[in-house]
Amino acid sequence: MENQDIRTALDRHWAASAAGDIEAEHEIYHDDVLVEYPQSGERIRGRHNIQALRGHHPAKLGFTIRRILGSGDLWITEYVLSYNEQPTQTVSIMEFCDGKVAHETQYFADPFEPPAWRAQWVEHQEK
């Protein structure tokens, strides 16, 4: 699969995620995909289990893609995931095999206030 084809599939995936289109969102995954959330220690095996889990999420979700980078079989999406309008910085690492995601690892980081001691060396980003 060419890079542009994967990028198009990722754009469709994230747009479907943001729209709540549970069917289109999960077309990108192999049937036996493994999705990992290292911070909670959870592993979800199989596209149908991921789809069921995400389809039962109780919070209102929102997505703002910051950037998508990748080549070949390894792609990274950096985005802001909002749970009930509370932003969480998120990184998704997707490994493709035969044009579908075989493995995904997602990292979630809550915002925090920067320490005052480093203010003279930094610029502040929009939250």
Side-chain angles (χ1 to χ4, degrees):
M1 190 172 217
E2 297 294 321
N3 286 342
Q4 187 55 49
D5 295 332
I6 291 177
R7 177 57 194 254
T8 299
L10 284 166
D11 289 340
R12 271 196 315 266
H13 167 74
W14 294 116
S17 297
D21 184 343
I22 199 82
E23 293 298 323
E25 174 183 0
H26 294 88
E27 289 174 354
I28 199 168
Y29 294 107
H30 269 287
D31 287 341
D32 61 349
V33 65
L34 173 63
V35 174
E36 298 183 286
Y37 301 152
Q39 287 136 309
S40 65
E42 295 171 291
R43 288 183 169 163
I44 305 104
R45 292 188 189 274
R47 182 173 49 87
H48 294 293
N49 286 331
I50 297 163
Q51 188 173 0
L53 178 145
R54 292 177 179 165
H56 286 88
H57 201 290
K60 179 185 172 197
L61 300 178
F63 294 84
T64 303
I65 304 298
R66 295 187 65 198
R67 63 184 172 158
I68 298 174
L69 302 169
S71 181
D73 293 334
L74 183 62
W75 289 78
I76 300 166
T77 303
E78 186 180 345
Y79 62 103
V80 179
L81 175 62
S82 295
Y83 288 102
N84 293 326
E85 300 182 12
Q86 294 292 357
T88 300
Q89 303 295 319
T90 308
V91 174
S92 168
I93 302 169
M94 291 181 167
E95 298 171 59
F96 285 76
C97 180
D98 300 323
K100 297 277 187 178
V101 176
H103 184 233
E104 179 180 25
T105 305
Q106 290 187 332
Y107 294 94
F108 306 93
D110 291 329
F112 59 90
E113 290 301 317
W117 66 264
R118 62 183 182 214
Q120 65 182 333
W121 299 291
V122 301
E123 296 175 12
H124 291 281
Q125 299 178 38
E126 292 285 326
K127 290 187 179 183

